[in-house]
């Protein structure tokens, strides 16, 4: 696109190009993808869908392959601090120049096809990974599965972490409906592995319909992990099974597997930092199921806890609050600088009289108040990727 020089300029233009931020469907991206990759992508792909745990599972798979001779890349979203975080190759973020070069290549073949911001990033990831001659690319589904732009690739391995209620306006209001949407990443005669301990019937039904080779994790991983939480043991077992299923193509020994699982890290998942003798926990939990997992971790060490919280307006905020309120003494509510942010008055009204909730003018004001609070030595910052991003920009 003439005149676009910097990554910031490209991203600003992409945000204005398409009429909707979220516009599910494969027709637009398929037409551009087929021009860029008429023979398909030149690397093995692992596509990861699920309500929660996608980022952690991807980090675990990535870490295993980083112990080997094979090159590995991951495409994830959203980012926390930098857009470049979406494209990681052998542990290193793509540069602005690599991303802009990919955008230019997309623009040369796009013609009049209107692409969303996420569709641009998906195609850019595939181009960058191809240019770098990656062996294995792990693709995180942005929303759902069946109609998500990552599903333009005929994957070599489908992974579904779990199914919970989220994004009901797009995916449906039941686990069966949501399971059907996420099972759309399945392919005939291709393995699909799932970490859900109580999977909806729609997964097996769709696997039978398309001829996918569906298998479920049988038990959590029992070895050593850096990642905190019982749910991470399920994610680790899923990652190990994924690598095992691709063993014929990419041989990984047991030492590399255990070392990869042990050393995997990811920002914003029960990430801790000590500030002014207070334990600060950052967690991107942004729906009821994720908040329940966070609450279980907090309950393991009962102590007075202050929450810095906000959420997007399309979430079931009341359920999120109820899931964790027994662990929280005080709440500080912060405004989010995104158009999907919930109204502050609405957010305040979600709290009952027995709960201490106060609106703050900004994230920096909330952090300052929290660090000065003497009654709580533990602070948990959660509710959205945007909340964690805003906090880390101040505290890192």
């Amino acid at each position: 696109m003439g005149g676009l020089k910097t990554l910031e300029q490209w991203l600003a233009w992409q945000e204005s190009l398409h009429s909707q931020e979220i516009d599910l469907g494969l027709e637009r991206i398929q037409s551009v993808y087929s021009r860029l990759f008429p023979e398909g992508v030149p690397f093995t792909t692992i596509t990861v869908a699920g309500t929660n745990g996608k980022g952690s599972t991807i980090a675990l798979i990535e870490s295993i392959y980083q112990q080997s001779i094979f090159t590995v890349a991951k495409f994830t979203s959203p980012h926390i601090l930098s857009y470049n975080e979406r494209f990681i190759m052998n542990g290193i973020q793509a540069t602005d120049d690599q991303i802009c070069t990919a955008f230019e290549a997309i623009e040369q073949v796009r013609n009049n096809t209107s692409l969303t911001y996420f569709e641009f990033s998906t195609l850019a990831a595939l181009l960058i990974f191809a240019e770098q001659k990656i062996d294995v690319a792990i693709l995180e589904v942005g929303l759902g599965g069946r109609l998500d732009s990552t599903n333009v690739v005929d994957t070599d391995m489908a992974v579904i972490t779990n199914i919970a209620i989220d994004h009901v306006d797009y995916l449906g209001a039941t686990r069966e409906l949501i399971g059907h949407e996420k099972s759309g990443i399945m392919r005939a005669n291709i393995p699909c592995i799932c970490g859900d301990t109580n999977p909806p019937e729609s997964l097996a039904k769709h696997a039978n319909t398309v001829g996918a080779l569906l298998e479920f994790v049988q038990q959590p991983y029992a070895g050593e992990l850096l990642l905190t939480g019982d749910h991470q043991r399920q994610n680790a077992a899923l990652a190990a099974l994924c690598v095992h299923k691709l063993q014929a193509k990419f041989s990984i020994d047991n030492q590399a597997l255990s070392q990869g699982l042990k050393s995997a890290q990811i920002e914003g998942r029960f990430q801790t930092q000590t500030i002014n003798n207070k334990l600060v926990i950052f967690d991107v939990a942004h729906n009821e199921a994720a908040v329940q997992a966070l609450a279980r971790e907090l309950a393991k060490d009962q102590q007075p806890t202050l929450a810095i919280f906000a959420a997007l307006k399309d979430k079931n905020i009341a359920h999120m609050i109820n899931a964790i309120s027994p662990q929280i003494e005080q709440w500080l509510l912060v405004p989010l600088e995104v158009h999907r942010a919930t109204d502050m008055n609405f957010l305040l009204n979600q709290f009952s009289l027995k709960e201490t909730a106060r609106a703050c003018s900004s994230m920096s004001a909330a952090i300052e108040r929290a660090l000065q609070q003497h009654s709580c030595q533990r602070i948990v910052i959660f509710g959205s990727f945007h909340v964690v991003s805003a906090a880390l920009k101040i505290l890192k």
Side-chain angles (χ1 to χ4, degrees):
M1 185 71 181
L4 293 180
K5 304 291 186 185
T6 68
L7 178 56
E8 290 74 19
Q9 289 172 334
W10 271 105
L11 296 177
W13 174 74
Q14 288 171 20
E15 287 175 342
S16 65
L17 176 65
H18 198 71
S19 59
Q20 297 168 250
E21 178 186 3
I22 300 174
D23 190 6
L24 296 178
L26 296 179
E27 184 178 344
R28 294 180 309 277
I29 193 170
Q30 180 67 59
S31 66
V32 181
Y33 173 79
S34 61
R35 295 175 207 141
L36 293 170
F37 298 100
E39 305 298 323
V41 292
F43 44 76
T44 295
T45 57
I46 301 168
T47 303
V48 182
T51 305
N52 296 306
K54 297 189 295 291
S56 297
T57 301
I58 289 170
L60 289 155
I61 297 170
E62 173 199 32
S63 184
I64 294 169
Y65 283 120
Q66 283 184 303
Q67 313 302 316
S68 74
I69 61 171
F70 307 111
T71 55
V72 60
K74 64 177 180 180
F75 168 58
T76 60
S77 65
H79 59 272
I80 293 180
L81 295 175
S82 165
Y83 180 83
N84 306 58
E85 294 169 26
R86 295 174 180 236
F87 319 94
I88 305 286
M89 294 160 289
N90 300 313
I92 301 171
Q93 295 181 14
T95 65
D96 286 11
D97 284 346
Q98 286 175 313
I99 299 168
C100 290
T101 298
F103 287 159
E104 288 165 3
I106 296 165
E107 190 60 21
Q108 286 175 6
V109 302
R110 184 177 64 84
N111 299 332
N112 294 323
T113 304
S114 177
L115 296 175
T116 66
Y117 180 95
F118 187 73
E119 288 167 342
F120 261 101
S121 62
T122 301
L123 291 170
L126 302 178
L127 285 168
I128 294 168
F129 299 164
E131 195 272 333
Q132 293 295 308
K133 296 181 169 53
I134 291 297
D135 293 320
V136 183
I138 317 165
L139 309 178
E140 179 181 2
V141 170
L143 180 59
R146 181 175 65 92
L147 299 176
D148 186 78
S149 66
T150 56
N151 205 30
V152 73
V153 179
D154 280 325
T155 194
D156 300 287
M157 168 67 65
V159 178
I160 299 175
T161 58
N162 53 49
I163 309 296
I165 304 297
D166 199 8
H167 301 295
V168 296
D169 292 346
Y170 296 98
L171 306 181
T174 68
R175 292 181 74 245
E176 291 295 339
L177 289 171
I178 294 170
H180 173 73
E181 289 298 321
K182 295 187 186 299
S183 66
I185 66 170
M186 295 178 184
R187 295 293 191 274
N189 300 312
I190 293 296
C192 176
I193 59 174
C194 179
D196 199 302
T197 55
N198 181 30
E201 294 178 3
S202 54
L203 294 185
K205 183 177 179 181
H206 191 75
N208 289 334
T209 299
V210 303
L213 309 176
L214 180 61
E215 186 173 334
F216 295 92
V217 166
Q218 297 303 311
Q219 59 187 20
Y221 180 69
E224 189 176 347
L225 294 176
L226 276 182
L227 296 176
T228 302
D230 296 338
H231 58 291
Q232 297 293 12
R233 298 200 168 278
Q234 195 73 5
N235 293 334
L238 189 60
L241 181 57
C242 173
V243 170
H244 174 73
K245 290 292 183 183
L246 291 173
Q247 188 76 352
K249 189 179 288 188
F250 304 106
S251 180
I252 302 293
D253 62 35
N254 288 335
Q255 183 179 351
L257 181 78
S258 60
Q259 182 59 38
L261 293 174
K262 176 182 175 180
S263 57
Q265 298 182 68
I266 184 169
E267 280 201 316
R269 279 70 170 183
F270 213 84
Q271 178 182 347
T272 61
Q273 188 175 342
T274 301
I275 304 171
N276 293 0
N277 295 319
K278 292 181 184 290
L279 177 66
V280 182
I281 300 165
F282 306 87
D283 200 291
V284 296
H286 57 281
N287 55 49
E288 184 182 5
V291 174
Q292 286 172 342
L294 173 59
R296 286 193 293 271
E297 289 309 303
L298 295 176
K300 291 178 180 178
D301 179 18
Q302 292 279 3
Q303 61 174 296
T305 302
L306 181 149
I308 297 177
F309 174 76
L312 300 180
K313 61 186 177 184
D314 55 358
K315 303 296 180 180
N316 193 322
I317 296 173
H319 285 188
M320 292 170 68
I321 293 168
N322 289 340
I324 201 171
S325 59
Q327 309 303 325
I328 306 298
E329 297 277 324
Q330 300 177 51
W331 296 78
L332 297 180
L333 312 179
V334 293
L336 295 178
E337 302 299 322
V338 292
H339 75 270
R340 289 168 62 204
T342 190
D343 175 76
M344 189 59 72
N345 287 328
F346 175 84
L347 195 56
L348 275 168
N349 288 335
Q350 303 308 301
F351 292 86
S352 64
L353 292 175
K354 71 177 186 298
E355 294 161 325
T356 305
R358 180 191 296 268
C360 297
S361 59
S362 65
M363 175 60 76
S364 58
I367 290 172
E368 183 178 0
R369 179 179 288 274
L371 292 176
Q372 292 173 350
Q373 186 65 253
H374 298 299
S375 60
C376 297
Q377 289 300 113
R378 184 168 66 176
I379 301 166
V380 58
I381 302 174
F382 78 104
S384 166
F385 276 82
H386 301 288
V387 176
V388 171
S389 174
L392 286 175
K393 285 175 182 175
I394 295 167
L395 293 173
K396 287 206 84 170

